[in-house]
Amino acid sequence: MTPNEHARLAGQASQILRENDRGAYTVPTKGLYPFQWNWDSCLTALGFAAFDEDRAWREMETLFAHQWPDGMVPHIVFHQEDEGYFPGPDVWRTGRPVPTSGITQPAVAGFTARRIYERSKDKAANAARVRALVEKIDRWHAFLCTARDPKGEGLVAIIHPWESGRDNAIDWDEPFQRVPGEGIAPYRRRDVDHADPAHRPTKEQYDRYLWLLEHFRRHGWNNGVLHDLSPFRVVDPGFNAILIRSCADLAALAEELGAADIARANRARAEKGLAALERLWSERHGQYLCLDRTTDSLVDSPSVGGLIAVFAAIPEARAGAIGARIMEIAKRCRYVVPSHDPADPRFDAKRYWRGPAWLIVNYLVSDGLAAAGMDAVAETIRASSLQLIEKGGFAEYYDPLTGEPCGGGQFTWTAAMVLEFLRGGEARALAPV
Ligand code: GLC
């Protein structure tokens, strides 16, 4: 890439961030997603940090201003009314002062906070605000490690597919058999007004998403009981790896800011999680798999969730196997990393999380691989990501076979990841745990 191309892409990416900026938070894209989303915001903060560090911290602070008293950080904050999205606040009815959803999303904040602080030009000026954020992130981690791991097994379960961030992944098909789809209030989806229905989750899946929502609502959004009362309890290696990495990074950041107790607690969480993650390894697939906690069995679904595991400091041999697997997949897919194994007959190149490639996933996986010393594979992913952008613009996700842009356009976190990829790899050792 020539310096001119580099500058042009960076300019376009920053422009998208500015266009989707609503002052103290950004929307993922106009139309389809008109509110603040949890992991979108944290990853977007990395993009802002490239040109406006204050705005980066504000993005995360706004999200954490809506943390629940029990420590949960909701997956959506409904800052203003918008008829264009379903299910809105009138369906969730969580009773929060500013309405929010009642479930969470991958806890990537510990990672992004550390990364932004590390690059901060004036650490002293930002220390107090970052310290306040660190305390909130710690409370969120504590929430996840208790409410979503009530037996203290070292791995947390998601209780709704939307919590994984990979809404309609093939991983959830089997566990979803136990979630009823009947008896829910009539509803009208809005996502299909903005995007091609053939690329979106199906009606059967939506019925079950809503059944779970209504079930949790009936139980007053009481996280003390929801885990055990949910017919859907899945341990996702991707969700857990992100949490483990965030715990390790938060520990390092807390240490630097003199919060020794927080550092200790998060280091312990990361160590326990890393040891427990081993239970999800599948020798047959050469990657990690989801575990259905209601049956205590692995879900036979080789998705990218099991590759995101490399984002945490997993054993070298496991990271090596994941790197090899991605290079194998690259033989079938022109663009990596697809969200599901293309050799699996269930793979669907255009349907959201059942095959398409997503830049945020590419970023997490390549960062983990680089940290594990696999720079060549990391570089393959980075090159693929930038080719997708050059070819199809800043889309929500891409068909990994053809590179066709799909879903929403001018997508915020895609733009943020481009700014990261343009910065070059960050091959550094992970925070020691
Ligand atoms: C979809 C994605 C989720 C993301 C949200 C907003 O629901 O599956 O990961 O956070 O859109 O972009």
Side-chain angles (χ1 to χ4, degrees):
M1 189 180 290
T2 65
N4 272 348
E5 285 164 353
H6 192 287
R8 179 177 47 79
L9 272 191
Q12 287 170 349
S14 317
Q15 186 56 27
I16 291 174
L17 258 56
R18 288 195 189 93
E19 275 167 22
N20 292 336
D21 185 356
R22 296 290 172 273
Y25 70 95
T26 42
V27 296
T29 185
K30 273 176 254 171
L32 185 61
Y33 299 120
F35 311 108
Q36 183 177 25
W37 263 258
N38 184 325
W39 73 322
D40 292 62
S41 257
C42 296
L43 291 162
T44 295
L46 282 174
F48 274 122
F51 57 92
D52 185 348
E53 188 188 336
D54 175 64
R55 183 62 188 78
W57 291 120
R58 188 172 322 279
E59 183 75 25
M60 292 183 69
E61 285 164 351
T62 305
L63 176 69
F64 279 86
H66 302 280
Q67 182 169 33
W68 284 21
D70 65 7
M72 188 183 78
V73 184
H75 100 294
I76 307 175
V77 184
F78 299 105
H79 290 283
Q80 84 290 313
E81 284 182 28
D82 195 305
E83 285 299 301
Y85 180 82
F86 175 86
D90 51 325
V91 183
W92 290 97
R93 281 181 257 145
T94 53
R96 302 290 306 144
V98 171
T100 72
S101 72
I103 55 175
T104 193
Q105 258 191 335
V108 76
F111 159 72
T112 57
R114 181 183 182 203
R115 185 147 284 185
I116 296 168
Y117 191 69
E118 265 181 354
R119 297 174 184 168
S120 177
K121 290 191 192 65
D122 191 351
K123 287 198 167 63
N126 285 305
R129 79 194 289 196
V130 178
R131 167 90 194 230
L133 203 51
V134 161
E135 281 165 19
K136 291 179 178 178
I137 299 172
D138 173 56
R139 287 189 48 229
W140 187 19
H141 291 176
F143 162 83
L144 287 167
C145 296
T146 50
R148 299 306 167 77
D149 180 16
K151 289 199 187 135
E153 295 168 36
L155 295 171
V156 302
I158 52 165
I159 58 172
H160 193 296
W162 289 343
E163 292 200 308
S164 69
R166 300 184 295 117
D167 302 10
N168 65 337
I170 292 167
D171 300 350
W172 327 131
D173 292 2
E174 207 183 289
F176 244 13
Q177 296 306 312
R178 271 186 307 281
V179 179
E182 307 86 42
I184 47 172
Y187 66 94
R188 183 169 81 77
R189 288 169 65 172
R190 306 294 152 82
D191 57 319
V192 286
D193 299 346
H194 303 283
D196 185 343
H199 299 176
R200 299 285 308 170
T202 62
K203 173 171 183 326
E204 288 66 40
Q205 284 158 348
Y206 249 82
D207 289 348
R208 288 175 167 80
Y209 297 148
L210 289 164
W211 189 93
L212 285 172
L213 190 163
E214 292 187 5
H215 181 60
F216 301 153
R217 193 180 65 202
R218 267 194 300 280
H219 291 282
W221 299 109
N222 174 3
N223 279 308
V225 298
L226 293 190
H227 174 279
D228 289 356
L229 287 176
S230 177
F232 182 90
R233 291 197 295 276
V234 180
V235 177
D236 169 16
F239 190 98
N240 277 278
I242 291 170
L243 176 61
I244 292 167
R245 172 71 182 270
S246 278
C247 286
D249 281 348
L250 193 73
L253 182 55
E255 193 83 68
E256 191 172 340
L257 292 167
D261 289 353
I262 293 181
R264 205 171 309 116
N266 281 279
R267 202 165 297 120
R269 287 175 189 136
E271 269 166 19
K272 192 170 169 185
L274 275 174
L277 204 58
E278 202 48 27
R279 166 84 174 88
L280 309 185
W281 179 257
S282 161
E283 206 52 54
R284 186 160 75 83
H285 288 289
Q287 66 162 86
Y288 296 86
L289 297 176
C290 286
L291 175 86
D292 190 333
R293 193 170 260 172
T294 60
T295 58
D296 199 33
S297 52
L298 291 179
V299 182
D300 189 8
S301 171
S303 78
V304 78
L307 305 179
I308 293 174
V310 76
F311 190 53
I314 54 172
E316 211 175 295
R318 302 281 183 245
I322 287 177
R325 192 152 154 62
I326 291 172
M327 292 318 277
E328 260 319 292
I329 288 174
K331 292 186 188 150
R332 287 172 177 264
C333 274
R334 175 130 180 243
Y335 304 94
V336 285
V337 182
S339 43
H340 197 82
D341 184 349
D344 185 331
R346 296 169 293 182
F347 169 85
D348 184 340
K350 292 197 195 332
R351 208 183 271 280
Y352 220 36
W353 288 98
R354 303 174 77 86
W358 293 68
L359 249 70
I360 39 125
V361 167
N362 282 7
Y363 176 71
L364 302 178
V365 173
S366 63
D367 185 88
L369 288 168
M374 275 172 289
D375 290 322
V377 195
E379 187 46 39
T380 302
I381 298 173
R382 177 173 174 269
S384 213
S385 306
L386 292 174
Q387 281 161 16
L388 284 168
I389 302 294
E390 290 277 24
K391 189 173 170 354
F394 298 76
E396 185 177 8
Y397 57 92
Y398 303 84
D399 177 328
L401 305 178
T402 64
E404 184 192 325
C406 302
Q410 305 290 89
F411 222 86
T412 306
W413 65 1
T414 305
M417 295 302 95
V418 169
L419 289 169
E420 280 293 292
F421 279 129
L422 288 175
R423 233 177 155 269
E426 202 131 1
R428 295 172 301 108
L430 296 178
V433 290

